[in-house]
Amino acid sequence: MEKKHLFGLTLEELGAVAADIGMPRFAARQMAAWLYAKRVTDIDGMTDISLRHREMLKATYDVGRTAPVRRAVSVDGTVKYLFEAGQGSYVESVYIPDGDRATLCVSSQVGCRMGCVFCMTGRQGFGGNLTTGGILNQIYSIPESEKLTNIVYMGMGEPMDNIDAVLHSLRIMTSGYGPAWSPRRITVSTAGVRKGLERFLNESECHLAVSLHAPLPAQRRELMPAERAWSIADIVELLRGHDFSGQRRLSFEYIMFRGVNDSERDAKNIVRLLRGLDCRINLIRFHAIPGAPLQGSDEATITSMRDYLTRHGIHTTVRASRGQDIEAACGMLSTKEQKAPHGTHDNQDNDTD
């Protein structure tokens, strides 16, 4: 019988496990402390729980942490990790060191059903949702885990399309029984899945990043099929009903494509769409993927777009590209062909540790 996993359970869920086994009520907090603060990887390591109760736990449960099966290291220090996600599936996450800041880009799904034409994950198609434990495992099981200062849910998948597991993971990450991270250190992205977004806005205080990429509906539909179901105009109106004037940050992601969305007219339409909304824009260089009929804007055009938006009251930055040589940059994550067994390395792995 396949065992259930303790890792990824909330305090309330651990309480149910304790009650089912006949453990005292306080055992839920003991298990949570071992899982999320002391980072134990097996039940025998939970030494303040009686041996009898540990044996009872082990009959049905294991911790459920798994190490990455591969890693690839970029010339710029970015590290891409490959994790198994069950039934022959895999996900990737990306560790990005930058001075005193260390960010992990985590995945929430195997593949993605949004179908954005500029994204390798979208080309891969949808393979399933990650569990809460599968999301948190990426954070806890990399060697740099305890160095992390920021987490971004911008890896494979659409977080709002797996909102239950995403919210569970955020609750654990920001809880007192968990690692007690500030919500201001976590950013969650979306293409605009409305029901999930509404729940995220109401049930979490983490930062939000919206994939914009084009200001006009017809233009955005060509790049992002999700526009047909969730109009960016409707999403912006939804966001206007929430307060982003305090510490919670709202940003829009905008990949720049030559001759597609990088003109001054596009800049004017962005200003018109976002007028009065307390937000910022991150301009992103396009990283070419096979079969995509798109080219990236040149540096002068990107700079011109940044300056125009800034002059018109929208704080705008150009995101630095990281990990392109190991296909870890924005839009490049994909595991469709990653079927190698444990312990193997792809031809991008130049780890010398």
Side-chain angles (χ1 to χ4, degrees):
M1 182 184 71
E2 187 174 352
K3 292 187 177 182
K4 301 176 185 177
H5 301 325
L6 294 175
F7 190 72
L9 298 184
T10 63
L11 183 63
E12 293 77 14
E13 291 166 335
L14 290 170
V17 169
D20 185 57
I21 290 178
M23 300 169 71
R25 185 178 300 176
F26 62 78
R29 286 200 173 273
Q30 289 178 306
M31 286 188 285
W34 284 112
L35 292 168
Y36 304 122
K38 301 174 186 177
R39 298 169 176 256
V40 74
T41 57
D42 62 78
I43 290 172
D44 284 329
M46 300 180 177
T47 52
D48 62 354
I49 295 175
S50 72
L51 179 60
R52 181 172 69 89
H53 285 141
R54 276 182 274 158
E55 292 300 318
M56 293 170 68
L57 269 177
K58 285 161 55 179
T60 307
Y61 294 91
D62 59 20
V63 168
R65 289 262 304 278
T66 60
V69 297
R70 299 184 196 168
R71 77 173 193 164
V73 184
S74 168
V75 294
D76 63 24
T78 299
V79 185
K80 182 172 69 172
Y81 287 99
L82 180 72
F83 287 93
E84 282 193 311
Q87 299 179 341
S89 298
Y90 299 84
V91 295
E92 293 178 328
S93 56
V94 181
Y95 171 72
I96 310 167
D98 185 14
D100 58 0
R101 183 183 176 97
T103 300
L104 185 69
C105 179
V106 300
S107 296
S108 56
Q109 295 179 313
V110 178
C112 184
R113 58 174 129 231
M114 296 299 106
C116 299
V117 300
F118 49 81
C119 178
M120 285 290 289
T121 306
R123 294 287 186 88
Q124 178 176 331
F126 179 67
N129 287 325
L130 291 185
T131 63
T132 302
I135 294 171
L136 292 176
N137 185 64
Q138 299 167 72
I139 300 169
Y140 271 75
S141 294
I142 63 170
E144 304 88 353
S145 178
E146 296 191 61
K147 299 178 182 178
L148 294 175
T149 62
N150 297 83
I151 296 169
V152 294
Y153 285 61
M154 296 182 183
M156 301 175 66
E158 162 57 57
M160 306 305 170
D161 192 36
N162 187 18
I163 192 61
D164 286 336
V166 166
L167 285 174
H168 263 61
S169 69
L170 295 176
R171 290 186 192 112
I172 291 170
M173 285 300 297
T174 59
S175 70
Y177 66 83
W181 273 46
S182 166
R184 312 309 177 204
R185 296 168 60 192
I186 304 173
T187 301
V188 182
S189 69
T190 184
V193 178
R194 175 135 189 161
K195 286 185 178 180
L197 177 56
E198 288 175 340
R199 285 192 59 193
F200 172 77
L201 290 169
N202 292 323
E203 298 178 37
S204 171
E205 291 298 320
C206 296
H207 297 318
L208 175 66
V210 177
S211 296
L212 175 56
H213 308 312
L216 299 179
Q219 183 186 30
R220 192 169 183 260
R221 278 195 299 271
E222 292 297 315
L223 297 170
M224 303 175 65
E227 171 68 20
R228 296 185 178 94
W230 304 289
S231 161
I232 189 61
D234 291 343
I235 294 303
V236 168
E237 284 308 304
L238 171 65
L239 297 173
R240 291 187 190 282
H242 291 264
D243 183 13
F244 294 97
S245 61
Q247 291 186 320
R248 189 179 201 181
R249 185 173 67 239
L250 169 63
S251 60
F252 289 87
E253 309 294 291
Y254 197 91
I255 299 176
M256 294 193 62
F257 306 107
R258 183 180 303 173
V260 175
N261 66 350
D262 63 352
S263 69
E264 185 171 313
R265 181 179 180 183
D266 293 311
K268 290 178 180 178
N269 285 326
I270 293 172
V271 172
R272 187 175 297 115
L273 174 69
L274 303 182
R275 182 172 288 122
L277 194 60
D278 196 333
C279 65
R280 63 180 63 191
I281 291 179
N282 293 318
L283 300 180
I284 303 170
R285 298 172 180 86
F286 175 56
H287 306 104
I289 62 173
L294 297 163
Q295 294 181 309
S297 304
D298 59 42
E299 291 300 312
T301 303
I302 294 173
T303 299
S304 178
M305 175 72 81
R306 181 200 64 191
D307 293 347
Y308 182 95
L309 295 174
T310 299
R311 285 197 308 272
H312 288 80
I314 303 176
H315 178 65
T316 305
T317 58
V318 179
R319 181 183 292 170
S321 294
R322 298 290 300 271
Q324 188 170 358
D325 59 313
I326 56 168
E327 296 186 348
C330 181
M332 300 184 78
L333 298 186
S334 175
T335 60
K336 188 174 183 180
E337 307 303 326
Q338 307 270 20
K339 301 294 184 183
H342 284 278
T344 62
H345 297 271
D346 61 26
N347 59 11
Q348 295 169 324
D349 192 338
N350 57 357
D351 176 20
T352 57
D353 290 353

